[in-house]
Each structure stands twice: as structure tokens, then as C-alpha cells.
Amino acid sequence: MSKRPVVFLHGTNAGPWTMETFSGFFQSRGFDCHTPTYRHHELPDSEERTQALIGTSIKDYVDDIAGFIKGLDQQPLVIGHSLGGLVAQLLSSRGLIHAGVLINSSIINGTSPTTDMERALGKLFMSAGRFWEMTPGQDFELLAAYGLNTMPEKQQHEICDRLSTESGAVLFELFFWMYDVNQTTKVDFSKAKAPLLFLSGSEDKVVPPSTSKTMAERYGDLADFAEIPGRCHYMQLEEGWEQIAQQSLDWIEQL
């Protein structure tokens, strides 16, 4: 039997390049790999991108990836980072994936912050005005403290410089799901039947292990959880990422 296709999903403000390490790893092992991007994320920083992203929802991203997956010859494995992990969970609740590996997945509806740093990040958004009507970019100091905190400063700058703007509506749906009238990130657990592996960097300040674990536990026996020592939110780009990729492959091969 041929190996299932693997779809790699990136996080907010990002693009497929953030998943190149893992996609190359799996491709070298005979998997058919796909790295789609979300709506309008192929556009460079510009007024066109800004206007296109305003009001764009996570639902739009899920719809786009769902359409892509339906064009494959069988249900894929999905490996998602951050927002990509959340999208993978929503795709599972639509019955569209075989299994998912979630790298520091963003939180779903009903998952509350467990640390002071998470709560402080939410407060920063609260003080940013009507950010849901904007397209925020990345602030280096904030990103370095929360998402790239275990990396050398040179690499922090290299990653931050490649990140772009994101729909403020998407960020609102992520951080303030309790006020989202559309309940965009709510998972229908009665329909989410795909096995999931939650991988959580011990030093991730965006979605720390304590929060990630509570999210994984909501799936019961369907989900496995593993904390990766010494790793940050972007651990798929850190030195030694191959060990995490191999751990993901080992889990997949045991399904």
C-alpha cells in the first residue's frame, strides 16, 4: 500500500517556508508532500495584501485547505504548526484527515490560558485598539520573547524578517474565542475521530505545555501528548529539528 500524502500547514503571519524542514524530511522518506498556504498569504507585503486580509477568518483558511484535501486521492496525514495545528483539528472535526501531528498548536474554543505570560499576551491585544479590523505584523521584541526565545538572536531576526502581516480577525478568533459570536474555533468532538499527536516545546510561551496538554486531554484516547525539552514555539526551525521530525514519523508509523 502506498504511503498517505502529507499536508503541512503553517502558522499565523507565516508561509510554507516555515514547514520546509519537515516537508523535506518526509519527502526524503518517500511521502508525497504538500505545503499549501492560506488565503492571500501568497501576496507580498503591500496595500493589496492589507485590503485582502482585513476580515479574513480562520473559517476561510479551513475551507481553503479542506478544498485542497478533497482533491487528493486519499485522506492525508496533516502536520500543522501553531495555527496550522488548530486548522488540523478543525479539519478532523470535518472528517477530512487520517491523523495529525500538531506542533505547538494554537488553542481551540474552550481552552483557557494557564500561565501569566499567556494572559499578558492577551492583554497586549486588548490594548491594541480595534485590531480585528487591522492586519497586524510581527513585533520583534514580542516574537523573540514569546516564540523564538531559545534561538540565537541572529536566527530570531532572520525568521522575524520573513514573517508578514496577518488578519486581525484571525487573531481575535484565536485569542478571544469566548467573544467570537461565530465560535469559529469550536471543535465538534463527536465528529473528530482522527488520532492526534500534540508536540509541545517546554519553553514555548505562546502555547506552553500546561495549556497544550489540557487541550490534548479533551480528545481522550484519540490524542497523545509529548513535551519536547528546551524548545520554543518555532521548534521545527531550531537546531535538532530532525529529532522531532523522526518522533513524528515514528508515531505515524505506529498508527
Side-chain angles (χ1 to χ4, degrees), residues 121-252:
L121 185 58
K123 289 179 181 178
L124 285 174
F125 277 107
M126 291 179 190
S127 65
R130 300 173 68 89
F131 70 89
W132 54 88
E133 297 176 354
M134 307 174 190
T135 57
Q138 284 286 358
D139 175 82
F140 174 75
E141 297 299 330
L142 192 63
L143 182 64
Y146 273 87
L148 307 174
N149 45 303
T150 58
M151 292 182 177
E153 185 175 351
K154 180 176 183 293
Q155 187 181 16
Q156 291 176 340
H157 279 286
E158 290 171 349
I159 292 174
C160 188
D161 288 347
R162 294 190 69 181
L163 295 173
S164 189
T165 53
E166 183 56 79
S167 164
V170 164
L171 298 174
F172 176 83
E173 291 164 349
L174 283 178
F175 288 93
F176 300 103
W177 51 261
M178 66 291 296
Y179 302 122
D180 175 16
V181 296
N182 297 315
Q183 299 289 279
T184 309
T185 65
K186 187 173 183 178
V187 170
D188 185 343
F189 292 100
S190 69
K191 297 179 180 178
K193 302 301 182 183
L196 301 174
L197 172 62
F198 284 77
L199 297 176
S200 178
S202 69
E203 304 309 310
D204 183 4
K205 306 306 180 185
V206 182
V207 188
S210 53
T211 302
S212 181
K213 188 174 183 180
T214 64
M215 180 164 46
E217 287 172 346
R218 298 177 69 185
Y219 287 90
D221 293 340
L222 277 177
D224 294 314
F225 173 84
E227 182 174 332
I228 313 300
R231 302 305 178 95
C232 69
H233 190 66
Y234 276 83
M235 61 184 178
Q236 80 276 20
L237 298 177
E238 288 193 86
E239 183 178 353
W241 62 265
E242 297 91 345
Q243 299 171 6
I244 307 171
Q246 185 62 56
Q247 183 174 352
S248 303
L249 178 58
D250 291 344
W251 181 82
I252 287 169

